[in-house]
Amino acid sequence: MTDSHQKKDTAQDQDHGPFTLLVEHYPWLFVLMGVLLVVATLILGWVDVSLMKQQIHDRETARLEDAADGVTAQINDTVSDVLFLKYVAQTALVRDQSGALAFNYEPLLRHFLDFSRVNTRYDQIRILSLTGQEVIRVNSAKGISRAVPPHELQDKSSRYYFQYSKLLKNNGLFFSPVDFNVEFGGIEVPFKPVFRLIVPIVGKNGTRAGYLAVNVFASEIYKEISARSGNYLGELCMLNDKGDWLYGAGHSHQWMAHAQDPGKSHQTFAQQYPEVWEHIQDRKAGHFIGADAFITFQTIDPRKDILMQLEKVATARNIEVLGVKGHQHRWYLLSVLSENEENSLLRKVHRSYVLAVIMVIVIVGIASLVTAQVNRKRIAFRERLRDSNKVLQDTLDTLNTRVAATERLANFMDSLRVVEHEHQVFEHIPKIAKDLFPGTSGCVHLLNPSSQLFECVSVWGEEKCQQDLYEKDSCRAIQSGSPYVVSRLATPSGICSHFQRAPKYGYICLPLIASGETLGGVTIELSPRTEQMSDLELQRYIDEVRIRFTIVARHTALTVSNLRMADSLREQAIRDPLTGLFNRRHMEASLIREFSRAQRHGDPLGIMLLDVDHFKFFNDTYGHELGDEVLRKLGETLRTFCRREDIACRFGGEEFVLILPGASLDATARRAEELRGLVEHRMHVRSANQRLQVKISIGVSGYPCCAHDEEHLIATADAALYEAKQNGRNRVEIAVSVAEAEEEE
């Protein structure tokens, strides 16, 4: 048994030998594996760092080349625009009475205004005379173009750019540096950097007539650079050939600080970073590692680009691009990647952190699973209970809000039932809008039938973003006849054009429609609190606004339509349909009212009774249609002749009455003679090829000299008219005064 046991023990030693060996040597294996892992990580890190640096260089170089291409494209477009404006100006040249070249002012100004409205990159477009005096100037500010009145035009003969423009050849172009408007001892506020392009304007015979000067917003170049920046870490800046900041990414490096705070003295880029400036001067492009940053740069030569553009489009010789003496007219684009940002990129290549992160994730994951298993049911139950309470509370709040809104809408509809005038309708809208949805702003526009424009009649809220007048095509709701909703301003192209500036939040447009006729429109700008709403909350909010304001819009439109219909019926009841003048019923009521007013205040009252001479001849000879034409034209003449307080009426047939409150008998007689002469010399009708003259006879009477009551006033005027007919027609006769009538009796 001893031998067998010894064999068994030996076999067991043989079976466990490798495991025992592994356990004994495991620390050394771990050390060896750790060393190998460190070496592999270092090699991989060195390779990745090299690749990352090359990628940074390639990416920043491509970024600057793209930005430079964008700037060059902007310059080329600007040169094309200047050549086009030069052509427009040259085609507007005319000869004055002395034979000298001059500009056809009105059409040229219209061309400049139309061009400026479409091309907002231009600050100013001006025509300078040969002496430097402005002839035409169009300014652009915030997208609005304006022609400068002649009395505001300035003498630019002392400006440096005009002095250089006089040196230009006829096919030349002057290109200025970026100008911060420091010619008068200070920088213009608000900050508005520009560069200028000037070309001569030449007549057909080669005679120079003046200069076209265009100021271009440098901010458009900066926008082009910013738009092409992308999601890069490197800060992008732009310098001129003197080392001044033109564009920068932040205030921390005092970029653009000299423009934002002109009262202080700030260092230029060349003064602040002399080693960088020395390295990039007179070099086209490249990259290098500075004291604390990785820098990539690209040079833009706008004068060279402009010359190439001119050579492409010009057909004449002697092309030149003139710049300011002492300026190379170069722009430098720089991408500055700080050492910290570079390290943050390179730090990602260290793979040694991956194992630790994975281990932490595993440990945290296991702990999370254990904790989640214990608390899952309890947390789920609490979440369900909280959600149920929230739903119940939201439902209760919504119900209370709707009940209150229904009461306010009912009060609003009751208030519309008692209004008597159209303007009173729109006095109620701001209150109902603020009651239903606090924080909203808005405007109500009503269609003006005469101008076919929608005019603002009611406004509410903190800020008004809409125009006072706009056309039908400006509002999409009015175009379609249905509500138009913009929930968020993520798509500016979908905004109605009746906004004078874009609203800060979403908005709703509703048409005012009654009986199939569009009367106007309502625009509601949503509350600022919509910014914090989720998409679902925002949609519910918009639905409530749209439904409630639709009720307001419908009742408003219906009320306005009913008031207009009532006004139309009232007007038809007091107007003569043929002449458009007041009818006899209105005349009698007006005469009683004006006579009573004259008696109370002791004022005179004049009256004319006039009749068309030989009216029966017109009807019998040329027909009733021509007779009606005579009456219509006489009605138009009376409407233009009358003062605002005068009352012109058709008395009956071809007889008309004109009541003149406050007019004495002499004044009434003078005005009657003016009216008679006006009809005789200016009022004619045509029958076939005949031109027929119309004449009238007028009887004049007045209170208190000729009558004591309104009936006697009409009777004395009628007697005077009869006297005018008997004395040969086409004349004015004045009624006999009361004193004379009593003497005759």
Side-chain angles (χ1 to χ4, degrees):
M1 289 186 61
T2 303
D3 293 335
S4 63
H5 279 291
Q6 288 178 348
K7 292 179 179 179
K8 187 175 181 180
D9 292 338
T10 303
Q12 288 179 352
D13 290 339
Q14 291 176 351
D15 291 339
H16 294 282
F19 176 76
T20 304
L21 184 66
L22 181 63
V23 171
E24 291 176 353
H25 296 283
Y26 178 78
W28 296 104
L29 291 174
F30 179 79
V31 171
L32 179 60
M33 292 178 62
V35 171
L36 293 175
L37 183 60
V38 170
V39 172
T41 302
L42 291 175
I43 295 174
L44 185 60
W46 178 80
V47 172
D48 284 348
V49 167
S50 300
L51 292 175
M52 180 65 72
K53 288 183 178 180
Q54 185 62 38
Q55 289 176 1
I56 292 173
H57 166 62
D58 294 341
R59 184 178 60 183
E60 295 301 313
T61 300
R63 171 195 186 189
L64 292 182
E65 290 176 351
D66 185 44
D69 291 341
V71 173
T72 302
Q74 286 267 17
I75 295 295
N76 292 340
D77 290 345
T78 302
V79 172
S80 298
D81 289 344
V82 170
L83 295 178
F84 169 76
L85 292 175
K86 176 181 179 180
Y87 170 78
V88 171
Q90 291 182 161
T91 57
L93 288 174
V94 295
R95 294 283 183 181
D96 59 15
Q97 295 179 352
S98 64
L101 287 175
F103 294 94
N104 194 351
Y105 183 84
E106 293 295 334
L108 184 57
L109 181 60
R110 287 196 301 271
H111 280 300
F112 281 4
L113 283 171
D114 293 341
F115 182 87
S116 179
R117 292 188 185 103
V118 176
N119 300 274
T120 57
R121 76 175 73 174
Y122 300 109
D123 172 35
Q124 293 179 344
I125 302 173
R126 57 163 68 91
I127 295 291
L128 300 177
S129 69
L130 295 176
T131 61
Q133 175 62 41
E134 287 183 334
V135 179
I136 293 175
R137 174 152 55 99
V138 173
N139 290 350
S140 176
K142 298 181 179 180
I144 299 175
S145 298
R146 171 181 87 87
V148 177
H151 67 274
E152 294 182 15
L153 297 178
Q154 301 174 358
D155 183 4
K156 301 293 184 180
S157 59
S158 62
R159 303 300 173 89
Y160 76 93
Y161 51 83
F162 177 74
Q163 299 300 322
Y164 278 97
S165 65
K166 293 192 295 183
L167 304 176
L168 288 170
K169 300 175 182 178
N170 284 349
N171 290 319
L173 182 146
F174 171 75
F175 176 81
S176 78
V178 174
D179 184 0
F180 292 97
N181 289 332
V182 294
E183 294 175 302
F184 301 106
I187 296 175
E188 184 176 348
V189 178
F191 176 55
K192 187 179 65 177
V194 298
F195 60 91
R196 312 169 193 275
L197 283 81
I198 303 178
V199 294
I201 301 173
V202 184
K204 293 182 179 179
N205 59 356
T207 303
R208 187 170 297 188
Y211 301 89
L212 169 69
V214 177
N215 291 7
V216 186
F217 285 117
S219 58
E220 294 297 320
I221 300 294
Y222 307 159
K223 290 178 184 177
E224 183 69 21
I225 297 172
S226 178
R228 296 170 180 261
S229 294
N231 297 320
Y232 298 95
L233 292 178
E235 294 182 341
L236 196 64
C237 67
M238 182 176 179
L239 314 175
N240 64 8
D241 57 351
K242 300 297 183 181
D244 298 318
W245 298 105
L246 295 183
Y247 169 80
H251 214 66
S252 60
H253 296 94
Q254 296 183 342
W255 290 353
M256 295 177 67
H258 60 298
Q260 297 174 358
D261 190 2
K264 295 182 178 180
S265 175
H266 298 278
Q267 288 184 320
T268 65
F269 180 92
Q271 295 168 338
Q272 196 170 355
Y273 303 103
E275 74 285 358
V276 178
W277 177 244
E278 181 179 358
H279 188 90
I280 68 176
Q281 278 186 299
D282 301 324
R283 288 179 172 86
K284 178 65 178 176
H287 70 279
F288 63 98
I289 299 176
D292 56 355
F294 180 86
I295 299 170
T296 309
F297 65 94
Q298 178 82 23
T299 304
I300 302 173
D301 192 344
R303 274 182 70 188
K304 182 178 179 181
D305 296 333
I306 291 173
L307 186 59
M308 294 176 61
Q309 177 72 358
L310 290 177
E311 291 174 349
K312 291 179 182 178
V313 300
T315 59
R317 299 179 180 178
N318 298 324
I319 299 172
E320 68 173 358
V321 179
L322 188 63
V324 175
K325 185 177 180 180
H327 279 268
Q328 296 179 348
H329 290 279
R330 289 182 177 178
W331 293 338
Y332 297 90
L333 291 178
L334 279 80
S335 171
V336 182
L337 184 65
S338 68
E339 184 178 14
N340 292 334
E341 292 170 336
E342 183 181 9
N343 290 337
S344 68
L345 291 175
L346 300 179
R347 197 178 296 117
K348 297 178 181 179
V349 303
H350 297 297
R351 307 301 186 194
S352 59
Y353 293 99
V354 175
L355 180 60
V357 171
I358 293 176
M359 292 176 63
V360 171
I361 291 175
V362 171
I363 294 173
V364 172
I366 294 174
S368 300
L369 288 175
V370 173
T371 305
Q373 187 68 25
V374 174
N375 297 322
R376 183 176 298 156
K377 292 184 179 180
R378 181 173 57 86
I379 294 175
F381 174 77
R382 291 177 61 184
E383 289 292 334
R384 288 195 300 271
L385 181 61
R386 184 164 52 249
D387 291 341
S388 299
N389 290 336
K390 186 177 184 303
V391 170
L392 181 61
Q393 186 61 44
D394 290 345
T395 303
L396 183 60
D397 293 342
T398 301
L399 182 60
N400 292 333
T401 302
R402 290 179 178 175
V403 170
T406 302
E407 293 178 355
R408 293 188 179 99
L409 286 172
N411 294 333
F412 171 72
M413 289 182 281
D414 289 340
S415 65
L416 293 184
R417 294 190 182 98
V418 299
V419 298
E420 297 180 354
H421 301 287
E422 188 173 304
H423 67 87
Q424 295 175 337
V425 176
F426 303 104
E427 294 175 356
H428 294 282
I429 292 182
K431 184 178 184 305
I432 187 64
K434 293 177 182 178
D435 288 345
L436 287 177
F437 291 97
T440 62
S441 301
C443 189
V444 180
H445 285 78
L446 204 63
L447 178 64
N448 187 327
S450 60
S451 64
Q452 289 299 305
L453 294 175
F454 289 84
E455 300 178 354
C456 179
V457 295
S458 182
V459 179
W460 74 91
E462 297 295 329
E463 184 175 5
K464 179 176 177 292
C465 297
Q466 301 179 65
Q467 302 174 7
D468 291 331
L469 294 174
Y470 65 79
E471 298 177 348
K472 177 181 179 180
D473 295 340
S474 300
C475 182
R476 303 194 179 201
I478 293 177
Q479 283 182 318
S480 62
S482 59
Y484 180 73
V485 179
V486 175
S487 57
R488 299 188 193 275
L489 296 180
T491 57
S493 59
I495 298 177
C496 296
S497 59
H498 56 75
F499 285 96
Q500 61 184 0
R501 59 180 179 275
K504 295 181 180 179
Y505 313 102
Y507 71 93
I508 302 173
C509 284
L510 300 170
L512 294 175
I513 300 176
S515 302
E517 179 185 3
T518 300
L519 305 179
V522 183
T523 302
I524 307 101
E525 300 167 32
L526 302 181
S527 170
R529 64 188 180 92
T530 56
E531 283 289 289
Q532 285 74 42
M533 292 183 180
S534 64
D535 291 342
L536 180 59
E537 291 173 337
L538 179 60
Q539 187 59 47
R540 290 175 179 172
Y541 175 80
I542 289 176
D543 289 341
E544 291 182 5
V545 175
R546 178 178 53 80
I547 292 172
R548 295 176 189 175
F549 267 109
T550 297
I551 297 173
V552 173
R554 287 177 180 173
H555 283 82
T556 300
L558 183 61
T559 304
V560 171
S561 178
N562 291 339
L563 289 174
R564 289 183 176 180
M565 185 179 297
D567 291 340
S568 176
L569 294 175
R570 191 181 304 111
E571 188 71 11
Q572 292 175 14
I574 63 174
R575 291 282 182 182
D576 173 56
L578 178 61
T579 63
L581 303 178
F582 292 114
N583 56 25
R584 181 166 183 167
R585 178 185 301 172
H586 184 75
M587 184 276 294
E588 292 172 349
S590 299
L591 184 59
I592 294 173
R593 181 183 68 250
E594 295 300 331
F595 195 91
S596 299
R597 184 180 297 166
Q599 282 183 322
R600 287 196 308 272
H601 300 287
D603 295 332
L605 177 65
I607 187 170
M608 300 182 202
L609 185 60
L610 57 102
D611 181 277
V612 179
D613 294 339
H614 302 294
F615 182 72
K616 187 174 184 300
F617 169 77
F618 285 102
N619 275 340
D620 294 344
T621 305
Y622 302 103
H624 289 285
E625 291 184 358
L626 186 64
D628 290 346
E629 180 67 17
V630 170
L631 296 179
R632 275 194 296 270
K633 285 197 172 183
L634 184 55
E636 293 174 1
T637 302
L638 288 176
R639 285 198 298 273
T640 58
F641 176 78
C642 287
R643 304 172 301 174
R644 184 170 60 179
E645 63 269 21
D646 295 342
I647 304 170
C649 311
R650 185 181 179 188
F651 193 60
E654 69 274 20
E655 289 186 333
F656 296 83
V657 171
L658 190 59
I659 302 172
L660 288 77
S664 65
L665 184 62
D666 291 340
T668 305
R670 285 196 302 272
R671 295 203 64 207
E673 185 59 35
E674 292 175 8
L675 177 60
R676 184 204 63 76
L678 178 66
V679 173
E680 179 183 8
H681 295 101
R682 297 188 183 181
M683 183 175 163
H684 303 86
V685 292
R686 286 190 175 273
S687 175
N689 294 327
Q690 293 184 348
R691 187 168 178 267
L692 305 175
Q693 188 176 34
V694 179
K695 299 179 181 180
I696 60 173
S697 298
I698 306 176
V700 174
S701 183
Y703 168 82
C705 58
C706 297
H708 297 301
D709 55 45
E710 59 270 15
E711 294 180 358
H712 192 207
L713 193 61
I714 289 289
T716 53
D718 186 49
L721 175 61
Y722 179 78
E723 188 72 19
K725 293 286 188 180
Q726 293 298 316
N727 292 336
R729 296 183 171 85
N730 190 26
R731 59 186 293 115
V732 176
E733 290 290 345
I734 301 175
V736 177
S737 66
V738 175
E740 291 176 354
E742 290 176 352
E743 288 178 3
E744 291 178 0
E745 292 178 357

